[in-house]
Amino acid sequence: MMKLFLLLASAFVLRTGTVDDQLKPASSARIAGFTGERLDASYNNRILAQDVDRLIETFKTRTETRCWQTEFWGKWFTSAVLAYRYKPEPKLKAVLDHAVTGIISTQTEDGYIGNYAEDKRLQAWDIWGRKYVMLGLLDYYDLTGDKKSLTAAGKVADHLMMELGKKNVLIVKMGNHRGMAATSVLEPVCRLYARTKNKKYLAFADEIVKEWETPQGPQLISKSEIDVAKRFPKALNNWYGWDQGQKAYEMMSCYEGLLEYYRLTGEEKYKQAVERTWENIRNTEINVAGSGSALECWFGGAHLQTAPIHHYQETCVTATWIKLSQQLLRLTGEAKYADAIEQTYYNALLGSMSTDGAAWAKYTPLYGQRLKGSEQCGMGLNCCEASGPRGLFTLPLTVAMSGKDGLSVNFFTEGEFVLRSPSGQQVVLQQHTDYPVTGKIAIGVQLAKAEEMTLRVRIPAWSETSTLTVNGEAVANVTPGTYAAIKRKWAKGDTLALELDMRGRIETSGSEPKYVAILRGPVLLARDARLPGPDFGAIVKPVADKSKHIALTLKDVNKDGIWMQFTAMCIPESYAEGGTKAVPLSLCDYASAGNAASLPMFRVWMPQLLDPKEL
């Protein structure tokens, strides 16, 4: 019955043809400086340090009824593949080989890879775990061409379809969060079809998307114009159960799958649903650190971010927001997605990572302490420690990317990036910069034969005044929030110089009372109890000009476990009628704030005195 239903469903889906991405990742990358140090720390102390056999062991005892142990192998493995693509060391390759051999050895004769008891299959987090197994196996196939891993992934999908048909159930009624956890399997199912061209997988994808729009489903397409926090009633009595339709991580995972489905079908409404939802998340949920969610759900948090918030800014949400934005950047080549990634990467993501790269915070507040997350499911780590590197290692091969008519520089970091020009020849872009410590970026172009193409350089939306030159000559139309597109015949030795506006900026939120935060370039600044200056609890008013810019003096870089430290002049609260003079206020980058073994208090939003004249 399920097989016939899937074939019928497929027959009614409109297809306009496959869609290619606008941008392709670099062939290789070498990154130095602070970003390179962060990547190396995670590579050595999280990726390579993982006990892989412990992740595999849980698949051998199929007695689980409700937990999510089976997500950890796939999360770790997909981040490890990204890490290997960035730095292909034999030691990590051996670990990847061992991990795939181990996971395939647990596959049952009928194709199941998981740990749920037979009578609990399809429930809770069972399909969610199978998704991560499939993603890992497909990543390994893409990396190595190993047919065994592709076959194993196909058998997992076949077994899932067989079970759904045998039990005659809708996949959206399975698992948690209005079926979003289960139906996020759309992503590997689409990828499986793209690699095998077996129509049964495309038919299964059709059925998943069709079920989304039923009354029982999450209605991810038809509700894409509704705020993500308001799509369904609050699930007060079952916050983490099936009724919860606002779960942030799972929702974005489904939209990642919908983009893969769009690539296969070319049906614009699917892309538009993702784009609308992305805009809504950015406008109603994302805070100044580039992330959001509370109790792991969307809650309209952008306008509430000045308050202390319970279980705020889950790292799984942070990493998945980066991944979704990376998907849209690849697909469209639009600057706003790179802007969003940069904001999240330098703040919420790096802020959730310990200084040695070994651990990741489960939640990262804008006020409070950075506390280590609890172990989950007896696995020796939690979901966010598995997810953090998945966001971190998206960056290296997307700093610079290849397009149909040229190259695109999306991010700025010291390093060397190997790409392909439109004619197919190798081009090496060399970036020399300490960005975002300063806003000066030099880019060198190396290629064997001169070629006419367009080189695009992102001008961040926050950089109000920027200058860009090619071989010393100014480039016109350098507009914030866009790519400066330079079409010319590029030759070996050509150079670009970009200088961005690194003035401090004041961000305000609320009215009674009003709060202020300070940003510099893409980096959010924060007060930290370790730093000198006015008492941590004192009310201070930063001294800004009429355009809300503030003078910041860079004091230290990479000192005492803090990446960047600044001083800004501020006026402390005073009860003297004549007021008081401005004093130095010490600030550091958000990623460093509170990120120490002593767990110092830190805060981003600074409350301002309530002035009755302004009421």
Side-chain angles (χ1 to χ4, degrees):
M1 179 179 178
M2 184 69 171
K3 181 177 180 181
L4 176 62
F5 186 73
L6 290 175
L7 290 173
L8 289 173
S10 184
F12 291 102
V13 175
L14 177 65
R15 309 197 194 286
T16 60
T18 58
V19 177
D20 291 331
D21 288 338
Q22 293 294 314
L23 299 176
K24 306 291 184 184
S27 303
S28 65
R30 177 191 57 79
I31 294 178
F34 181 80
T35 304
E37 291 171 4
R38 299 292 82 207
L39 291 164
D40 289 345
S42 182
Y43 193 104
N44 294 316
N45 299 327
R46 173 88 288 278
I47 300 298
L48 283 174
Q50 176 61 50
D51 181 350
V52 180
D53 290 330
R54 184 171 182 178
L55 301 183
I56 296 170
E57 189 65 29
T58 192
F59 291 88
K60 299 177 182 179
T61 306
R62 302 180 188 93
T63 58
E64 187 52 61
T65 61
R66 57 175 293 274
C67 287
W68 52 96
Q69 297 96 332
T70 51
E71 74 168 33
F72 292 109
W73 181 89
K75 283 186 173 183
W76 167 82
F77 190 88
T78 54
S79 60
V81 169
L82 286 171
Y84 181 79
R85 287 188 181 279
Y86 165 57
K87 186 177 289 189
E89 294 183 349
K91 184 177 181 179
L92 180 53
K93 178 59 165 54
V95 174
L96 294 173
D97 295 343
H98 174 73
V100 166
T101 300
I103 201 70
I104 292 177
S105 73
T106 71
Q107 189 161 41
T108 62
E109 195 169 315
D110 60 2
Y112 181 65
I113 300 181
N115 75 336
Y116 269 62
E118 195 162 347
D119 63 335
K120 298 295 182 181
R121 299 268 176 88
L122 304 178
Q123 300 177 31
W125 298 100
D126 182 34
I127 301 175
W128 174 260
R130 300 190 211 189
K131 172 192 76 171
Y132 275 111
V133 169
M134 291 173 65
L135 287 173
L137 291 170
L138 290 168
D139 274 4
Y140 187 74
Y141 171 73
D142 289 348
L143 181 70
T144 66
D146 173 59
K147 292 290 181 65
K148 290 181 180 178
S149 56
L150 182 63
T151 299
K155 289 173 67 177
V156 173
D158 293 344
H159 179 261
L160 174 58
M161 290 188 288
M162 179 273 294
E163 276 194 313
L164 290 166
K166 185 177 180 181
K167 295 183 179 181
N168 195 26
V169 294
L170 296 176
I171 191 171
V172 291
K173 289 296 290 182
M174 300 294 102
N176 296 321
H177 308 299
R178 298 195 71 87
M180 290 189 296
T183 59
S184 66
V185 77
L186 178 65
E187 181 184 0
V189 168
C190 289
R191 289 179 57 188
L192 193 57
Y193 171 72
R195 285 148 184 78
T196 65
K197 302 305 178 186
N198 192 321
K199 292 184 179 179
K200 65 183 176 182
Y201 301 128
L202 185 56
F204 186 29
D206 294 338
E207 171 62 15
I208 290 171
V209 174
K210 180 175 180 291
E211 287 187 27
W212 276 353
E213 296 307 304
T214 62
Q216 301 97 327
Q219 299 163 42
L220 295 167
I221 300 166
S222 58
K223 288 185 181 290
S224 63
E225 293 185 276
I226 299 174
D227 285 358
V228 288
K230 299 177 180 178
R231 293 183 177 182
F232 296 97
K234 287 184 180 178
L236 297 178
N237 298 321
N238 194 18
W239 189 263
Y240 292 109
W242 187 87
D243 294 332
Q244 177 58 269
Q246 276 70 259
K247 191 70 159 56
Y249 175 15
E250 286 74 5
M251 182 187 290
M252 290 190 291
S253 295
C254 286
Y255 281 120
E256 284 193 271
L258 190 57
L259 287 178
E260 294 291 0
Y261 189 63
Y262 165 71
R263 289 183 175 98
L264 298 178
T265 65
E267 181 59 32
E268 279 295 313
K269 68 179 181 181
Y270 303 134
K271 176 190 172 191
Q272 290 167 1
V274 183
E275 290 175 324
R276 283 194 295 264
T277 301
W278 186 92
E279 290 282 356
N280 183 261
I281 292 171
R282 183 182 64 169
N283 294 336
T284 67
E285 300 289 348
I286 298 300
N287 60 40
V288 289
S291 188
S293 80
L295 287 173
E296 302 171 20
C297 295
W298 299 130
F299 70 115
H303 78 282
L304 299 170
Q305 62 182 290
T306 59
I309 298 172
H310 187 43
H311 283 184
Y312 191 46
Q313 199 168 244
E314 186 196 22
T315 298
C316 284
V317 172
T318 299
T320 310
W321 172 246
I322 287 176
K323 289 172 72 266
L324 179 62
S325 299
Q326 285 278 20
Q327 284 254 31
L328 286 163
L329 175 62
R330 282 170 34 212
L331 186 63
T332 70
E334 292 185 35
K336 63 183 178 181
Y337 300 119
D339 279 348
I341 293 163
E342 180 179 65
Q343 176 192 23
T344 308
Y345 198 93
Y346 280 121
N347 299 299
L349 187 73
L350 290 183
S352 63
M353 175 179 162
S354 64
T355 54
D356 64 359
W360 293 75
K362 184 90 165 63
Y363 306 105
T364 52
L366 299 181
Y367 172 81
Q369 293 175 289
R370 297 190 193 276
L371 303 176
K372 181 177 173 58
S374 303
E375 177 187 5
Q376 293 178 336
C377 308
M379 294 298 292
L381 72 166
N382 62 56
C383 58
C384 293
E385 288 176 314
S387 280
R390 300 177 74 221
L392 189 76
F393 285 100
T394 63
L395 186 76
L397 298 184
T398 63
V399 170
M401 300 175 76
S402 300
K404 295 176 183 178
D405 65 349
L407 311 175
S408 178
V409 178
N410 305 312
F411 308 109
F412 312 112
T413 184
E414 176 74 20
E416 185 172 280
F417 310 91
V418 179
L419 306 106
R420 291 291 170 185
S421 72
S423 71
Q425 73 166 315
Q426 178 177 288
V427 183
V428 178
L429 294 184
Q430 299 165 326
Q431 286 196 32
H432 299 292
T433 180
D434 62 354
Y435 178 87
V437 175
T438 71
K440 296 181 178 180
I441 302 106
I443 303 173
V445 181
Q446 300 294 329
L447 69 172
K449 184 180 178 182
E451 181 176 343
E452 184 171 297
M453 58 182 167
T454 300
L455 200 159
R456 293 177 173 85
V457 179
R458 181 175 63 92
I459 309 301
W462 47 260
S463 184
E464 297 179 21
T465 59
S466 306
T467 59
L468 177 64
T469 62
V470 176
N471 298 333
E473 295 184 8
V475 174
N477 300 319
V478 180
T479 306
T482 68
Y483 283 89
I486 311 154
K487 185 177 181 180
R488 67 191 300 274
K489 194 167 189 177
W490 293 91
K492 181 179 181 180
D494 284 341
T495 60
L496 298 92
L498 175 64
E499 186 161 357
L500 299 173
D501 182 357
M502 302 299 283
R503 290 177 295 172
R505 310 186 307 282
I506 298 288
E507 183 87 10
T508 62
S509 183
S511 58
E512 299 173 16
K514 181 170 70 176
Y515 288 79
V516 300
I518 300 175
L519 300 99
R520 179 181 180 272
V523 174
L524 174 64
L525 303 185
R527 300 192 66 186
D528 185 300
R530 293 173 290 174
L531 300 179
D535 183 89
F536 185 73
I539 303 295
V540 294
K541 180 181 180 180
V543 178
D545 61 24
K546 292 181 179 180
S547 63
K548 292 188 176 181
H549 288 102
I550 181 171
L552 296 170
T553 302
L554 179 63
K555 184 178 178 182
D556 290 310
V557 177
N558 290 332
K559 183 179 179 183
D560 300 328
I562 293 176
W563 178 19
M564 289 183 281
Q565 185 175 331
F566 300 88
T567 56
M569 299 306 292
C570 70
I571 299 173
E573 178 182 10
S574 171
Y575 295 99
E577 291 189 16
T580 188
K581 293 182 179 180
V583 299
L585 174 69
S586 293
L587 301 162
C588 68
D589 61 285
Y590 174 78
S592 300
N595 208 340
S598 59
L599 300 176
M601 293 288 290
F602 68 95
R603 73 181 313 149
V604 166
W605 289 104
M606 296 178 280
Q608 302 297 285
L609 292 175
L610 188 66
D611 187 344
K613 299 192 297 296
E614 297 177 357
L615 294 179

